Amino acid sequence: MGAGFSSCSHTTTFFAASTTLFPHRSKSNFSTFNPHFKLLSQTLYYPKPTKITTSRSSSSALSPINSGGRAEEMKTQEEKSTQPMSDLHNIDPELIQRMAYDALVWTSIHGLVVGDKSVPRSGKVPGVGLVHAPIALLPMSFPENHWKQACEVSPIFNELIDRVSLDGEFLQESLSRTKMVDAFTSRLMDIHSQMLENGKREEIRLGLHRSDYMLDEQTKLLLQIEINTISASFPGLGSLVSELHRSLLNQYKEQLGLDSRRIPRNAAVNGFAEALAKAWEEYSNPRAVVMFVVQTEERNMYDQHWLSTEFPFSCFPQLCNTYDVTTIRKTLAEIDEQGVLQPDGTLLVGDQAIGVIYFRAGYAPTDYPSESEWRARLLMEQSSAIKCPSISYHLAGTKKIQQELAKPNVLERFLENKDDIAKIRKCFAGLWSLDDSDIVKDAIERPEFYVMKPQREGGGNNIYGDDVRKSLLRLQEEGAEENAAYILMQRIFPTIAPTYLMRDGICHKDHAMSELGIYGAYLRNKENVIMNEQCGYLMRTKVSSSNEGGVAAGFAVLDSVYLN
Amino acid sequence: MGAGFSSCSHTTTFFAASTTLFPHRSKSNFSTFNPHFKLLSQTLYYPKPTKITTSRSSSSALSPINSGGRAEEMKTQEEKSTQPMSDLHNIDPELIQRMAYDALVWTSIHGLVVGDKSVPRSGKVPGVGLVHAPIALLPMSFPENHWKQACEVSPIFNELIDRVSLDGEFLQESLSRTKMVDAFTSRLMDIHSQMLENGKREEIRLGLHRSDYMLDEQTKLLLQIEINTISASFPGLGSLVSELHRSLLNQYKEQLGLDSRRIPRNAAVNGFAEALAKAWEEYSNPRAVVMFVVQTEERNMYDQHWLSTEFPFSCFPQLCNTYDVTTIRKTLAEIDEQGVLQPDGTLLVGDQAIGVIYFRAGYAPTDYPSESEWRARLLMEQSSAIKCPSISYHLAGTKKIQQELAKPNVLERFLENKDDIAKIRKCFAGLWSLDDSDIVKDAIERPEFYVMKPQREGGGNNIYGDDVRKSLLRLQEEGAEENAAYILMQRIFPTIAPTYLMRDGICHKDHAMSELGIYGAYLRNKENVIMNEQCGYLMRTKVSSSNEGGVAAGFAVLDSVYLN
């Protein structure tokens, strides 16, 4: 997550609701306002508002998008613009204070929590060092047509990833140069090669993806940032945020005038749980378990626990209660230590047969500090367990493959239906390899319209603004080989809207932008597709920074969608 | 709460499940064992088990009980003894470890949490510094007949408190000597006197009580420790503990062989919420709100929030969702600052009319640091708002009144039904004033069979063992007046059972004893009793200490009941 959080050059306006007003009214139901709760950001976030300035030029500057061969979509997209949900500047600060208090109570008693990084044990021992997850106080406005578009392409992306994963040659060839400059991708590809050599086939394939989008303000295009095919986070907490926002909108219906039914139902956690359970059924060994591959420390453990323990909303099926599925949690090092492959391909960890492997670790180089972890990854890949993801699914989600798929005629290699191809292509932002000298030249001249993305996962490594120019010039001096470690992507300028962000018990108002993630679940066996659906969403909202370089600073909070 | 946690002189045996065994099996559903979670008590709680010694003498030593005029009940009580729920010594340490992990996850995502005292803001700002509530891992075995007995007397105690509250003369007379030595009781009585003088009547009366009991091991008698008529805590978290235990028993049914249906349904939170909502209805002002009177800092705030926000089990009605009732939270100081009494008796706080006042503060002298808080208490008492409790209800729950009610022929002043009187009396432990020279003489000779209780609320102030002798001798030297500050109570020796206690993410085994609290809700108007029921329970379990003085050391954890 996090990769692709592009930013425009707005300067930031900070604002905090006054703390001097104590509420004398509480007109709505379930308000439990406590005056001891204050908007603690007072001292931190109360400089005088600074003027918002926009440094980007007119829309004509967006021409690089067109070099990606997508000029036509710009016209076919609907022109309906994103409306602010309501004018947040006009909300009574006292009302915000009450809603913020209620939201904090809600998070605490409904498990919308994470481990607090200031408490050392909070990433290892459940139940200690809990703090509410960072959240937006209210849902983010989003145009219904773009919402529908994102949902509609979800099953197509699921299918596309599956098809790409089966084309070992395409994966190896597309990534061959990346392999030479990126050690992590190289190790993944080694395992992939070995599987190809051994003729290893994954008959049952499970994908739990999250495809991330931003809505470009100028062009009104919904553009894909990336697709996460491994360890897509927040299906659990994301579902809860939608519930929280629905509660608040019902609660403060009179004051806000918003309709909670315009927050789409978010079934991410039950969709994922259902897919895992159905995969376990497909494995057909009632004694086998579902193994969560986890990091040694995990402050986001409750998001994972929501998948495997009972869910508070009775309408949601539960992995454990609906199906009699046992889950265990293991680190890569433990799997190396305790794992054994039986002659028939069954993976035993300890003395438990593993039916389904769900990765919530293993996506970043830091997850493999020694050979032990790589041995574990190989061992799992060699086994008959259903891997979510398999090494092929993992590679199919890399940025380089994203860029390759955006080339003309490549989608046609994997999909037959022309409509599906058009729908997918409509979501592609401009994506180029650094071998494209025209684009590199343009990016050096106008770096503000590009993002340079290293193959490496995990976000935060993207290069923006003048650093794009500098990096490209450095690469030109050093020679072509390093080029393969990066791709260039069209810079997206999303709508900036005033938003209330909450972290560590503090609510503050800021200008923020959002990224929409759509969860997709896919399961098939040798004969049939068993499940292929969009099952939920996650809005992540982030302060738009005033950094000269345009790098999105600040923190992302969990958010939901309000359709307009 | 906490008062009356008597202890026998068992030395304590500590035990911690081994941390060297990592689980290789997870046979049950929803197990999410993570090896990074360890029973951290290893270093703290792993001395070699010491021999359990019992210093108390034979049952003949219990003769002081009989001086209370209750000899006959000792024979009529059923003789069925408390059976340990199962032999916890034989539970596989690895299984305990897995259950403890699952329990910690459950608490975190179901809001069974409190503020962590090591986080300064945790008592003021919701959502930060959360930690799981201290809990017992498994429910405590309790004989079904005693359980039924405790439930059966609940409505009778509710009625008794109501009748006593109406007898202003009895309250003033019984407490007249306490008034002279206890400043806090004195202030409460001043308000009470003023109301009597003004002819103030409470037509609508709401009681949310918790009557606490211990089961005396020798006599097999269920004996009342005290009845809390103000601020009875844990209706919210207590209900959740029952749910947690039911989940674990279902989850580990195969391994534990226990039947989750033997944990009685715990509807404390919805019973209390329903009573508050019905009281609000009786007040008949749709614009009025329910006001929670709270402390400035409250680490147990989530227990309170459960009453006023939505509840995760759909079968439970909710104060806010079922009824359109707004709740606000105010400290006594704020009520003094913002409160105004209108000519018609309506209490306005800010500009909100208050329909129902629910005290979760105001029960201890420390809640009244200045005259401001006393002014607030008086203001509320003068108002037409329904007070839970009124000053009369508050006084009716004092230890001195408990002792007065235990005197021969006093219950008959308030109750007509002979069966009811017998049932209530059966629960009374030996209770004496210090004016009873025979008892004082006996207590000086055999202090181990008495507890000396100061009138002061809040527990932890009780005097045990040799300190009883010393205190009584000191009082004899100083003269009679101070006598009125204390009562003497028969020391109860509850069953001691091995128990797994969890606090701060640590699970350890210890010998512990339990106290059963029964929640009762009572509401009436001028004509009718609207609600009079036992609506839930709370088991509190505490390490039995080896302290020479016999003072119950260690901490109490929240627990539930397993009927046997």
Side-chain angles (χ1 to χ4, degrees):
Chain A
M1 63 160 281
F5 248 123
S6 310
S7 153
C8 68
S9 312
H10 281 165
T11 53
T12 307
T13 304
F14 288 109
F15 170 82
S18 165
T19 61
T20 58
L21 287 167
F22 282 175
H24 296 171
R25 269 161 313 200
S26 185
K27 281 174 191 154
S28 60
N29 53 0
F30 112 55
S31 171
T32 55
F33 183 78
N34 180 341
H36 297 296
F37 162 75
K38 291 172 186 173
L39 293 178
L40 297 171
S41 57
Q42 186 179 26
T43 49
L44 289 169
Y45 298 109
Y46 211 58
K48 60 179 177 181
T50 52
K51 199 182 162 197
I52 296 174
T53 57
T54 306
S55 66
R56 67 173 180 272
S57 49
S58 74
S59 61
S60 67
L62 286 164
S63 56
I65 298 173
N66 301 341
S67 347
R70 302 192 305 73
E72 70 287 2
E73 288 87 354
M74 289 181 65
K75 288 166 199 157
T76 56
Q77 287 260 11
E78 286 185 56
E79 291 298 299
K80 189 180 173 190
S81 75
T82 304
Q83 295 295 330
M85 190 173 56
S86 59
D87 189 352
L88 291 173
H89 286 289
N90 292 336
I91 296 187
D92 178 8
E94 188 192 308
L95 176 63
I96 290 292
Q97 206 176 354
R98 273 164 45 208
M99 288 197 295
Y101 185 89
D102 285 349
L104 290 175
V105 169
W106 197 100
T107 61
S108 307
I109 65 180
H110 291 89
L112 180 41
V113 292
V114 296
D116 184 341
K117 65 178 182 300
S118 71
V119 180
R121 287 193 296 146
S122 70
K124 294 197 169 192
V125 181
V128 303
L130 304 168
V131 65
H132 74 94
I135 50 166
L137 179 60
L138 293 167
M140 179 59 74
S141 180
F142 202 82
E144 190 163 3
N145 59 327
H146 288 111
W147 162 258
K148 284 180 178 165
Q149 183 193 349
C151 293
E152 199 184 4
V153 294
S154 175
I156 313 174
F157 269 116
N158 290 346
E159 190 66 47
L160 175 63
I161 292 292
D162 190 64
R163 302 278 177 92
V164 170
S165 81
L166 296 175
D167 194 338
E169 200 184 328
F170 172 76
L171 288 173
Q172 286 287 333
E173 199 175 284
S174 302
L175 292 163
S176 59
R177 287 189 55 221
T178 310
K179 184 177 164 71
M180 295 169 75
V181 289
D182 186 82
F184 180 63
T185 307
S186 174
R187 291 301 296 261
L188 295 175
M189 287 177 70
D190 287 345
I191 296 174
H192 184 247
S193 297
Q194 207 173 321
M195 294 307 110
L196 287 178
E197 281 161 26
N198 297 350
K200 178 83 165 67
R201 296 175 67 89
E202 301 295 328
E203 304 290 10
I204 307 167
R205 300 187 294 277
L206 172 64
L208 297 176
H209 312 310
R210 195 189 67 223
S211 182
D212 293 335
Y213 304 90
M214 274 185 163
L215 186 55
D216 190 70
E217 195 185 23
Q218 293 285 333
T219 60
K220 309 300 177 203
L221 286 171
L222 181 80
L223 299 175
Q224 187 184 48
I225 304 298
E226 64 178 345
I227 185 161
N228 301 278
T229 59
I230 183 168
S231 199
S233 56
F234 298 118
L237 300 191
S239 301
L240 287 170
V241 173
S242 303
E243 271 315 302
L244 162 65
H245 285 164
R246 241 189 303 266
S247 285
L248 284 173
L249 262 55
N250 283 331
Q251 161 78 358
Y252 292 96
K253 191 182 176 74
E254 213 178 293
Q255 296 92 328
L256 296 173
L258 296 170
D259 181 358
S260 67
R261 291 168 301 180
R262 299 199 71 78
I263 300 174
R265 176 163 182 269
N266 195 345
V269 74
N270 65 322
F272 272 28
E274 188 185 344
L276 285 165
K278 283 187 171 167
W280 175 83
E281 281 181 332
E282 285 296 315
Y283 189 74
S284 291
N285 175 357
R287 286 178 307 282
V289 302
V290 175
M291 179 169 71
F292 283 33
V293 181
V294 295
Q295 293 180 332
T296 313
E297 288 202 37
E298 178 59 87
R299 300 219 152 74
N300 193 26
M301 67 168 91
Y302 305 102
D303 180 52
Q304 301 169 8
H305 288 310
W306 273 118
L307 275 182
S308 51
T309 61
E310 56 185 359
F311 205 71
F313 311 109
S314 54
C315 57
F316 281 44
Q318 302 151 11
L319 179 53
C320 56
N321 286 4
T322 310
Y323 302 88
D324 191 25
V325 187
T326 297
T327 62
I328 61 170
R329 296 167 66 83
K330 296 283 175 185
T331 64
L332 287 167
E334 285 159 1
I335 293 162
D336 178 46
E337 193 187 313
Q338 301 164 22
V340 177
L341 207 59
Q342 292 199 307
D344 70 348
T346 303
L347 174 63
L348 294 183
V349 175
D351 53 4
Q352 287 183 300
I354 307 300
V356 180
I357 302 168
Y358 174 52
F359 284 83
R360 289 298 292 260
Y363 55 86
T366 47
D367 289 337
Y368 302 82
S370 74
E371 283 304 307
S372 168
E373 289 78 13
W374 284 113
R375 277 195 304 269
R377 184 73 193 258
L378 177 62
L379 186 78
M380 289 187 280
E381 200 62 31
Q382 289 169 322
S383 79
S384 63
I386 301 164
K387 292 153 280 283
C388 178
S390 66
I391 202 86
S392 306
Y393 266 52
H394 188 168
L395 291 174
T398 55
K399 294 188 186 71
K400 180 63 189 171
I401 296 299
Q402 183 189 9
Q403 179 249 303
E404 283 293 319
L405 292 170
K407 282 183 181 171
N409 302 318
V410 178
L411 281 179
E412 284 77 358
R413 182 166 171 175
F414 302 104
L415 300 172
E416 300 84 32
N417 186 304
K418 284 197 165 32
D419 278 355
D420 286 352
I421 291 169
K423 284 172 184 166
I424 290 281
R425 190 163 279 141
K426 194 172 170 181
C427 300
F428 285 160
L431 286 157
W432 308 273
S433 92
L434 268 60
D435 299 333
D436 189 328
S437 57
D438 287 349
I439 287 294
V440 169
K441 186 165 172 283
D442 192 62
I444 289 169
E445 281 168 17
R446 307 187 307 163
E448 64 273 25
F449 297 110
Y450 293 87
V451 183
M452 211 171 140
K453 293 187 166 190
Q455 176 52 49
R456 199 149 18 119
E457 282 297 322
N461 305 311
N462 294 343
I463 300 168
Y464 298 89
D466 202 48
D467 290 337
V468 170
R469 191 179 55 78
K470 287 178 194 160
S471 300
L472 290 172
L473 289 172
R474 181 180 55 77
L475 287 173
Q476 284 187 339
E477 281 167 29
E478 286 173 6
E481 202 159 275
E482 271 292 314
N483 280 357
Y486 297 90
I487 62 164
L488 272 170
M489 185 170 162
Q490 162 197 352
R491 179 100 172 257
I492 301 166
F493 296 93
T495 303
I496 308 293
T499 308
Y500 288 92
L501 305 111
M502 301 189 68
R503 190 171 59 171
D504 200 26
I506 294 166
C507 180
H508 82 275
K509 192 180 186 181
D510 210 327
H511 286 85
M513 57 195 185
S514 290
E515 182 172 324
L516 174 68
I518 297 286
Y519 293 102
Y522 184 89
L523 176 67
R524 65 162 298 147
N525 60 22
K526 202 170 176 180
E527 291 82 28
N528 299 306
V529 174
I530 297 158
M531 196 170 168
N532 182 14
E533 57 191 50
Q534 176 269 332
C535 60
Y537 62 95
L538 173 73
M539 197 68 135
R540 274 171 307 155
T541 293
K542 201 164 180 173
V543 169
S544 63
S545 164
S546 62
N547 284 7
E548 257 321 296
V551 178
F555 59 90
V557 299
L558 304 180
D559 202 348
S560 73
V561 164
Y562 187 85
L563 298 179
N564 67 22
Chain B
M1 62 160 282
F5 247 122
S6 311
S7 153
C8 67
S9 312
H10 281 165
T11 54
T12 307
T13 304
F14 290 105
F15 170 83
S18 163
T19 63
T20 57
L21 287 167
F22 281 175
H24 297 170
R25 268 160 312 198
S26 184
K27 281 174 189 151
S28 61
N29 53 1
F30 113 56
S31 171
T32 54
F33 184 79
N34 178 342
H36 298 295
F37 162 75
K38 292 172 186 174
L39 295 177
L40 297 171
S41 56
Q42 187 180 25
T43 49
L44 289 170
Y45 298 110
Y46 210 61
K48 60 181 176 180
T50 53
K51 200 181 160 197
I52 296 173
T53 57
T54 307
S55 67
R56 66 173 179 274
S57 48
S58 72
S59 61
S60 68
L62 286 164
S63 56
I65 298 171
N66 301 339
S67 348
R70 303 194 304 75
E72 69 290 359
E73 289 87 354
M74 289 182 65
K75 289 167 197 155
T76 57
Q77 287 259 10
E78 285 186 57
E79 292 297 300
K80 192 179 172 189
S81 75
T82 304
Q83 296 293 331
M85 190 174 55
S86 60
D87 189 353
L88 290 173
H89 285 290
N90 292 336
I91 296 187
D92 179 9
E94 187 193 306
L95 175 64
I96 290 292
Q97 207 175 353
R98 274 165 42 210
M99 289 196 297
Y101 185 89
D102 286 349
L104 290 175
V105 168
W106 197 99
T107 60
S108 308
I109 65 180
H110 291 89
L112 180 39
V113 292
V114 296
D116 184 341
K117 65 177 181 301
S118 71
V119 180
R121 287 193 296 146
S122 68
K124 293 197 171 193
V125 182
V128 303
L130 304 169
V131 64
H132 73 93
I135 51 165
L137 179 60
L138 293 167
M140 179 59 74
S141 180
F142 202 82
E144 190 163 4
N145 58 328
H146 288 112
W147 162 258
K148 284 180 177 164
Q149 183 192 347
C151 294
E152 198 183 5
V153 294
S154 175
I156 312 174
F157 270 116
N158 289 347
E159 190 65 47
L160 176 63
I161 292 292
D162 191 64
R163 303 278 179 92
V164 170
S165 80
L166 296 175
D167 193 337
E169 199 183 329
F170 172 75
L171 288 173
Q172 286 287 334
E173 199 175 285
S174 303
L175 292 163
S176 58
R177 288 191 54 222
T178 310
K179 184 177 165 70
M180 296 168 75
V181 290
D182 186 83
F184 180 63
T185 306
S186 175
R187 291 301 297 262
L188 295 175
M189 288 177 70
D190 287 345
I191 295 173
H192 184 247
S193 297
Q194 208 173 322
M195 295 306 112
L196 287 178
E197 282 161 27
N198 298 351
K200 178 84 164 68
R201 296 176 67 89
E202 301 297 328
E203 304 289 11
I204 306 167
R205 300 188 294 277
L206 171 64
L208 297 176
H209 312 310
R210 195 189 66 223
S211 181
D212 292 335
Y213 303 90
M214 273 187 164
L215 186 55
D216 189 70
E217 195 184 23
Q218 293 285 332
T219 61
K220 309 301 176 202
L221 287 171
L222 182 81
L223 299 175
Q224 188 185 46
I225 304 300
E226 64 178 345
I227 186 161
N228 302 279
T229 58
I230 182 168
S231 198
S233 56
F234 298 119
L237 301 191
S239 300
L240 287 171
V241 173
S242 303
E243 270 316 302
L244 162 64
H245 286 164
R246 241 190 303 268
S247 284
L248 284 174
L249 262 55
N250 284 331
Q251 161 78 0
Y252 292 97
K253 192 183 175 73
E254 214 179 291
Q255 296 93 326
L256 296 172
L258 296 171
D259 180 359
S260 67
R261 291 167 302 180
R262 298 199 70 79
I263 300 174
R265 175 163 184 270
N266 195 345
V269 75
N270 66 321
F272 273 27
E274 189 185 344
L276 285 164
K278 284 187 170 167
W280 175 84
E281 282 181 332
E282 285 297 314
Y283 190 75
S284 291
N285 175 357
R287 286 178 307 283
V289 303
V290 175
M291 178 169 71
F292 283 34
V293 181
V294 295
Q295 293 180 332
T296 313
E297 288 202 37
E298 179 58 88
R299 300 219 152 74
N300 194 26
M301 68 168 90
Y302 305 102
D303 180 52
Q304 301 168 8
H305 289 310
W306 273 119
L307 275 181
S308 52
T309 62
E310 57 185 357
F311 204 72
F313 311 111
S314 53
C315 57
F316 281 44
Q318 301 152 11
L319 179 53
C320 55
N321 287 5
T322 309
Y323 304 88
D324 191 26
V325 187
T326 297
T327 63
I328 61 168
R329 297 167 64 84
K330 296 285 176 186
T331 64
L332 287 167
E334 285 159 1
I335 293 161
D336 178 47
E337 192 187 315
Q338 302 164 21
V340 179
L341 206 60
Q342 293 200 305
D344 70 349
T346 302
L347 174 64
L348 294 183
V349 175
D351 52 5
Q352 288 182 300
I354 308 299
V356 182
I357 303 168
Y358 174 52
F359 284 83
R360 288 300 291 260
Y363 54 87
T366 48
D367 289 338
Y368 301 82
S370 75
E371 282 305 306
S372 167
E373 289 78 12
W374 285 114
R375 277 196 303 270
R377 184 72 193 258
L378 177 63
L379 186 78
M380 289 186 280
E381 200 62 31
Q382 289 169 323
S383 79
S384 63
I386 301 166
K387 293 153 279 282
C388 179
S390 66
I391 202 85
S392 306
Y393 266 53
H394 189 168
L395 291 174
T398 56
K399 294 188 187 71
K400 181 63 189 171
I401 296 299
Q402 183 188 9
Q403 180 249 303
E404 284 293 318
L405 291 170
K407 281 184 181 171
N409 302 318
V410 178
L411 282 179
E412 284 77 359
R413 183 167 171 174
F414 302 104
L415 300 172
E416 301 84 32
N417 186 306
K418 284 196 166 32
D419 278 355
D420 287 353
I421 292 169
K423 283 172 187 166
I424 290 280
R425 190 163 280 140
K426 195 172 168 182
C427 301
F428 284 161
L431 286 158
W432 308 272
S433 91
L434 269 58
D435 299 332
D436 189 329
S437 56
D438 287 349
I439 287 295
V440 169
K441 186 165 171 283
D442 191 61
I444 289 169
E445 282 168 18
R446 307 187 307 163
E448 65 273 23
F449 296 110
Y450 293 86
V451 183
M452 213 171 138
K453 294 187 166 188
Q455 177 50 49
R456 198 147 21 117
E457 281 297 321
N461 305 312
N462 294 342
I463 300 168
Y464 298 89
D466 203 46
D467 290 338
V468 171
R469 191 179 56 79
K470 288 178 194 161
S471 300
L472 290 172
L473 290 172
R474 181 180 56 76
L475 287 173
Q476 283 186 340
E477 280 168 31
E478 286 172 6
E481 201 160 276
E482 272 290 315
N483 279 356
Y486 297 90
I487 62 163
L488 271 170
M489 184 169 161
Q490 163 198 352
R491 178 98 173 258
I492 301 166
F493 297 93
T495 303
I496 308 294
T499 308
Y500 288 92
L501 304 112
M502 301 189 67
R503 189 171 60 171
D504 199 27
I506 295 166
C507 179
H508 83 275
K509 191 180 186 179
D510 210 327
H511 286 85
M513 56 196 185
S514 291
E515 182 171 323
L516 174 68
I518 298 287
Y519 293 101
Y522 184 90
L523 176 67
R524 66 162 298 147
N525 60 23
K526 202 170 176 179
E527 292 83 27
N528 299 305
V529 174
I530 296 158
M531 195 170 170
N532 182 13
E533 58 190 49
Q534 176 269 332
C535 61
Y537 62 94
L538 174 73
M539 197 68 136
R540 274 171 306 153
T541 293
K542 201 163 181 173
V543 169
S544 63
S545 165
S546 62
N547 284 8
E548 257 321 296
V551 179
F555 59 91
V557 299
L558 305 180
D559 202 349
S560 74
V561 164
Y562 187 84
L563 298 179
N564 67 22

